[in-house]
């Protein structure tokens, strides 16, 4: 890190990116450290319910999520062995079918756009560097 940040966030999943974006928007000096894309496990398919809209709104990322072109879904289907269960979202609302990595990429870009400094590295290496 070139200079010590006011706040250091470790982990660029939805929680870390949301915190980084909000805090940077509010004028704090933020560094967010997260794994490089290639160091993450295989992408995970996820269904984000329509209530995700509230989070997009608070973070000011609705346009970026729309631009990402995620599939909009009316619900989800869960398979347990040979049995499937279809759950529809209430009131015909639509959610988002994403992969965790694709959603994190959108939110990470939005954290950067708000002014957070993003470093993609594994945190144990960073700690060793800080100690030396
Ligand atoms: C199998 C499965 C299915 C799921 N399906 C759904 C679903 O359909 N819908 C839904 O809403 N939620 C779903 N979830 C839950 C959802 O994935 C989590 O709630 C969400 O990812 C939590 O976000 P987070 O930011 O707290 O943590 P994470 O998403 O786990 O983010 C943590 C971040 O920290 C990084 N990191 C970890 N260790 C280090 C390190 N040493 N150095 C640097 N960076 C590090 C990781 O790479 C990652 O980017 C599912 C979860 C699982 C496991």
């Amino acid at each position: 890190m070139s200079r010590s940040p006011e706040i250091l966030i470790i982990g660029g999943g939805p929680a870390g990116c949301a915190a980084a974006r909000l805090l940077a928007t509010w004028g704090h000096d933020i560094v967010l450290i997260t794994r490089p894309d290639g160091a993450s496990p295989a992408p995970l398919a996820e269904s984000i319910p329509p209530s995700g809209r509230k989070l997009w709104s608070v973070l000011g990322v609705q346009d970026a999520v729309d631009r990402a072109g995620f599939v909009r879904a009316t619900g989800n289907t869960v398979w347990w062995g040979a049995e499937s269960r279809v759950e529809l979202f209430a009131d015909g609302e639509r959610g988002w079918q994403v992969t965790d990595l694709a959603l994190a990429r959108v939110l990470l870009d939005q954290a950067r756009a708000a002014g957070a400094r993003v470093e993609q590295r594994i945190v144990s290496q960073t700690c060793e560097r800080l100690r030396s």
Side-chain angles (χ1 to χ4, degrees):
M1 274 173 277
S2 47
R3 61 191 151 86
S4 296
E6 188 185 352
I7 300 167
L8 175 65
I9 297 172
I10 298 170
C17 291
R21 169 141 175 118
L22 269 190
L23 290 166
T25 303
W26 295 338
H28 294 284
D29 178 28
I30 307 297
V31 165
L32 169 61
I33 301 178
T34 194
R35 281 184 178 150
D37 280 356
S40 295
L44 200 62
E46 293 185 348
S47 166
I48 308 296
S51 56
R53 192 181 349 93
K54 295 180 201 164
L55 179 63
W56 313 152
S57 164
V58 168
L59 298 179
V61 300
Q62 181 70 68
D63 287 350
V65 171
D66 289 344
R67 277 197 306 276
F70 296 123
V71 170
R72 302 298 307 272
T74 52
N76 50 58
T77 304
V78 179
W79 283 87
W80 292 109
E83 267 185 52
S84 75
R85 201 176 74 194
V86 178
E87 298 282 352
L88 293 178
F89 296 130
D91 304 322
E93 284 200 88
R94 292 184 306 157
W96 295 262
Q97 279 300 134
V98 304
T99 65
D100 58 345
L101 293 184
L103 179 61
R105 223 169 280 135
V106 170
L107 298 178
L108 204 59
D109 282 348
Q110 292 301 301
R112 266 197 204 96
R117 287 179 280 153
V118 175
E119 298 192 9
Q120 292 197 269
R121 68 179 83 248
I122 298 194
V123 90
S124 56
Q125 293 173 344
T126 308
C127 290
E128 279 163 24
R129 205 156 57 91
L130 287 175
R131 271 199 300 269
S132 61

